[in-house]
Amino acid sequence: MELSVKVNNCKDCIYRSWAFKNLSDDDLRLINNKKNERLYRKGEKICSENEPISSFMYLQNGLVKLYKTESNDREHIISIARPKDFIGLLSIFSNKTQVYSITAIEDSVVCFVDLEIIKNMIKTNGVFAIDFFEKISAVADSVIKTRIDINTRQLRGRIAYILLLFAKQIYNSPKFSLPISRKEVAELIDMSTENVIRVLSEFRKDKIIQIEGKEIEILDLKRLEKIYDLG
Amino acid sequence: MELSVKVNNCKDCIYRSWAFKNLSDDDLRLINNKKNERLYRKGEKICSENEPISSFMYLQNGLVKLYKTESNDREHIISIARPKDFIGLLSIFSNKTQVYSITAIEDSVVCFVDLEIIKNMIKTNGVFAIDFFEKISAVADSVIKTRIDINTRQLRGRIAYILLLFAKQIYNSPKFSLPISRKEVAELIDMSTENVIRVLSEFRKDKIIQIEGKEIEILDLKRLEKIYDLG
DNA sequence: TATATATCATGATATATATCATAAATGATA
DNA sequence: TATCATTTATGATATATATCATGATATATA
């Protein structure tokens, strides 16, 4: 299968376009020797809260969820990370241990780079430092923006947001297979599972979407966008 | 008054402990020549959404709010920044224009440092780069944490959170003068103004707090913390 | 000082959302 | 295949929250 095609040299990695574009061959070789790629199956946990942080984690392929376990066992999903996202947010600079847990919601390939190497490269390679921070800033900014987007809306607007997120930003198609359960959608938008299901049914009855289990197709994009806009 | 005591040399700035602690005298002189301190009176706007970003902004003294104006004129407060916080979040690296507006909620002194100087220093001074990113990462992380803290709670828990925030993190005292209106509290925790007032009254009737206009005193910290914990 | 305007306050009511209950459908597992 | 657990689904009910209305204070402004 596609995912098993391992990239063995950073130089040939299609994701080099990211913050690593301006690295010299020497620097790339250094990363290459200390990096570690691993395939995680859907549902597999990649890291847990309170684990020591030793690597910079970069999502090559797949989809993962970043979440926190609340005191009452409930999980709260902070964000869904896509390929090319660094996962684990900024904690890598401001914390010694992971603040969030990460689990694959689709088969995913994660590339681990020793954090000391990255820090050292920031120290010695100014251009890389800037490139790197531009990228991770953008990811952190987008997490904050997403949280605000969700929290300033009510149920219908939030569901519309999620549907548009998957269709436009993740799968780039009006038809997609929802990679998370209704319960997880609820954990992502701070709503009860029942209401997530209810609103999806409503949208189906109103012919805004078509649902068959996990398969979702957006039929009336304009109306969905209107629901999102109105909140 | 205290705030009018201007610091004219970065070398003597009491906030040098921040990310600038490891800078050489030469680097400090460079910043000193290109920096700009300004006092803003309570209510004065420091910057607006969509303005081009040209400076790194650092809060020396006072208190400011970071907010976004929604389509329907409603303002949504993202965070309250305290002295030593860099304000404006990470947008400075990932955006050309301000994403949020900033207004002083107490008389505040903001120090502006030319963004190019900072970027250049990141490029040329590796130790500074790391120090700097540790700090701004911590601020961004704390904004995300705050948003989650607020959104996973309901009305009572949110109000408790806000009261504890001001008492513990901002004023370091159980007795303080709330620097923002009830309406602004509502904008900060995504609730209606009436309900903010109502819950504050409730807490007063239950002898958890004492209120006299803006003056608030926490009488029963344990109970308030319990309300916060239970959400 | 008088007048306007924003803030604070509280009750009544409407609305949104969560919770509880129950069941069918699906998926996992022995 | 049979059994169990999870997910999806929907209705009824309870609860939380917003909205509307109205008045009292406080604050700004002419």
Side-chain angles (χ1 to χ4, degrees):
Chain A
M1 72 178 290
E2 192 204 358
L3 283 178
S4 64
V5 181
K6 264 194 120 184
V7 174
N8 289 310
N9 195 324
C10 297
K11 216 175 152 180
D12 307 320
C13 180
I14 50 167
Y15 297 118
R16 217 188 123 184
S17 60
W18 205 75
F20 305 103
K21 58 178 182 266
N22 289 315
L23 284 185
S24 68
D25 285 2
D26 275 356
D27 280 347
L28 271 177
R29 209 168 300 127
L30 195 65
I31 288 188
N32 199 40
N33 290 335
K34 284 282 198 172
K35 77 152 200 296
N36 196 359
E37 279 164 75
R38 202 188 135 182
L39 167 67
Y40 290 87
R41 291 292 172 190
K42 184 180 172 133
E44 251 190 288
K45 203 163 186 177
I46 296 163
C47 77
S48 300
E49 285 152 75
N50 300 322
E51 242 173 54
I53 300 175
S54 61
S55 303
F56 166 77
M57 293 179 289
Y58 181 71
L59 185 60
Q60 286 205 350
N61 235 308
L63 220 53
V64 305
K65 63 171 177 178
L66 191 73
Y67 61 101
K68 212 169 160 49
T69 308
E70 304 291 332
S71 47
N72 52 350
D73 279 342
R74 237 195 108 157
E75 281 176 5
H76 179 70
I77 301 179
I78 286 90
S79 74
I80 306 278
R82 288 165 290 164
K84 290 193 176 185
D85 278 351
F86 81 103
I87 54 183
L89 292 189
L90 294 161
S91 323
I92 56 168
F93 289 105
S94 52
N95 287 86
K96 292 273 175 238
T97 55
Q98 297 289 353
V99 180
Y100 308 111
S101 298
I102 302 173
T103 292
I105 56 177
E106 280 183 0
D107 290 356
S108 299
V109 176
V110 178
C111 182
F112 296 84
V113 184
D114 188 295
L115 195 54
E116 286 312 307
I117 301 268
I118 295 281
K119 281 192 177 173
N120 212 48
M121 221 158 266
I122 287 168
K123 275 188 199 154
T124 56
N125 186 334
V127 177
F128 170 74
I130 295 282
D131 282 350
F132 187 80
F133 286 121
E134 263 176 25
K135 292 296 178 186
I136 68 170
S137 296
V139 175
D141 250 10
S142 119
V143 168
I144 294 173
K145 194 181 165 307
T146 298
R147 292 314 328 169
I148 295 171
D149 252 356
I150 291 174
N151 296 316
T152 50
R153 291 182 159 72
Q154 51 194 42
L155 198 34
R156 255 153 274 270
R158 293 184 192 190
I159 296 286
Y161 176 82
I162 289 297
L163 292 172
L164 293 170
L165 174 82
F166 280 107
K168 288 184 169 179
Q169 294 186 46
I170 296 182
Y171 294 115
N172 214 21
S173 156
K175 200 173 177 179
F176 57 87
S177 176
L178 193 69
I180 56 177
S181 69
R182 315 292 198 256
K183 182 161 166 278
E184 285 172 307
V185 172
E187 288 167 353
L188 181 55
I189 62 179
D190 295 316
M191 294 275 143
S192 72
T193 310
E194 293 95 324
N195 276 334
V196 170
I197 293 168
R198 228 184 293 269
V199 173
L200 284 174
S201 298
E202 239 178 78
F203 284 1
R204 177 169 43 72
K205 281 171 202 154
D206 291 349
K207 304 228 187 308
I208 297 170
I209 57 171
Q210 190 172 349
I211 323 178
E212 201 146 335
K214 298 274 188 196
E215 303 303 317
I216 292 182
E217 182 176 2
I218 297 177
L219 301 174
D220 195 338
L221 188 66
K222 286 254 185 308
R223 239 164 103 206
L224 198 59
E225 279 169 342
K226 198 161 196 174
I227 293 170
Y228 165 76
D229 282 337
L230 294 176
Chain B
M1 70 178 288
E2 194 203 357
L3 282 178
S4 62
V5 181
K6 264 194 121 184
V7 174
N8 289 311
N9 195 325
C10 298
K11 217 175 150 181
D12 307 320
C13 180
I14 51 166
Y15 297 119
R16 215 187 125 184
S17 61
W18 205 75
F20 305 103
K21 57 179 183 268
N22 290 315
L23 284 185
S24 67
D25 285 2
D26 275 355
D27 280 347
L28 271 178
R29 208 168 302 126
L30 196 64
I31 288 187
N32 199 40
N33 290 336
K34 283 283 198 170
K35 75 151 201 295
N36 196 359
E37 278 165 75
R38 201 188 135 183
L39 167 67
Y40 290 87
R41 291 291 172 192
K42 182 178 173 132
E44 250 190 289
K45 203 163 187 179
I46 297 163
C47 76
S48 300
E49 287 152 72
N50 302 321
E51 240 173 57
I53 300 176
S54 62
S55 302
F56 165 79
M57 293 178 287
Y58 180 71
L59 185 60
Q60 287 204 350
N61 235 308
L63 220 52
V64 304
K65 64 172 178 177
L66 192 72
Y67 60 102
K68 211 169 161 50
T69 308
E70 305 291 333
S71 47
N72 52 350
D73 278 343
R74 235 195 111 158
E75 281 176 4
H76 178 71
I77 300 179
I78 285 92
S79 75
I80 306 279
R82 287 164 291 164
K84 290 194 177 184
D85 279 350
F86 80 102
I87 54 182
L89 292 189
L90 294 162
S91 324
I92 55 167
F93 289 104
S94 51
N95 288 85
K96 293 272 175 240
T97 55
Q98 296 289 355
V99 180
Y100 308 111
S101 298
I102 301 173
T103 292
I105 56 176
E106 280 183 0
D107 289 356
S108 299
V109 176
V110 179
C111 181
F112 296 84
V113 184
D114 188 293
L115 194 54
E116 285 313 307
I117 301 268
I118 295 282
K119 282 193 177 173
N120 211 47
M121 222 158 266
I122 287 168
K123 275 189 200 153
T124 56
N125 186 335
V127 177
F128 170 74
I130 296 284
D131 283 349
F132 187 81
F133 287 120
E134 263 177 26
K135 293 295 178 185
I136 68 170
S137 296
V139 175
D141 250 10
S142 118
V143 168
I144 294 174
K145 193 181 167 307
T146 298
R147 292 315 326 169
I148 295 172
D149 253 355
I150 290 174
N151 297 316
T152 51
R153 290 183 160 72
Q154 50 194 43
L155 197 34
R156 252 154 275 269
R158 293 183 192 190
I159 297 287
Y161 176 83
I162 289 297
L163 291 172
L164 292 170
L165 174 83
F166 280 107
K168 287 183 168 180
Q169 294 186 46
I170 296 181
Y171 294 115
N172 214 20
S173 156
K175 200 172 177 178
F176 57 86
S177 176
L178 192 69
I180 55 179
S181 69
R182 315 294 199 252
K183 180 159 166 279
E184 284 172 309
V185 172
E187 288 166 353
L188 181 53
I189 61 179
D190 295 318
M191 294 275 144
S192 72
T193 309
E194 292 94 324
N195 276 334
V196 170
I197 293 168
R198 228 183 293 269
V199 172
L200 283 174
S201 298
E202 240 178 76
F203 284 1
R204 175 169 44 71
K205 281 171 200 153
D206 292 349
K207 305 229 188 308
I208 297 169
I209 57 172
Q210 190 172 352
I211 323 179
E212 201 146 334
K214 298 274 188 196
E215 303 303 318
I216 292 184
E217 183 176 3
I218 297 178
L219 300 174
D220 195 338
L221 188 66
K222 285 255 185 306
R223 240 164 105 206
L224 197 59
E225 279 169 342
K226 198 160 199 174
I227 293 170
Y228 166 75
D229 283 337
L230 294 177

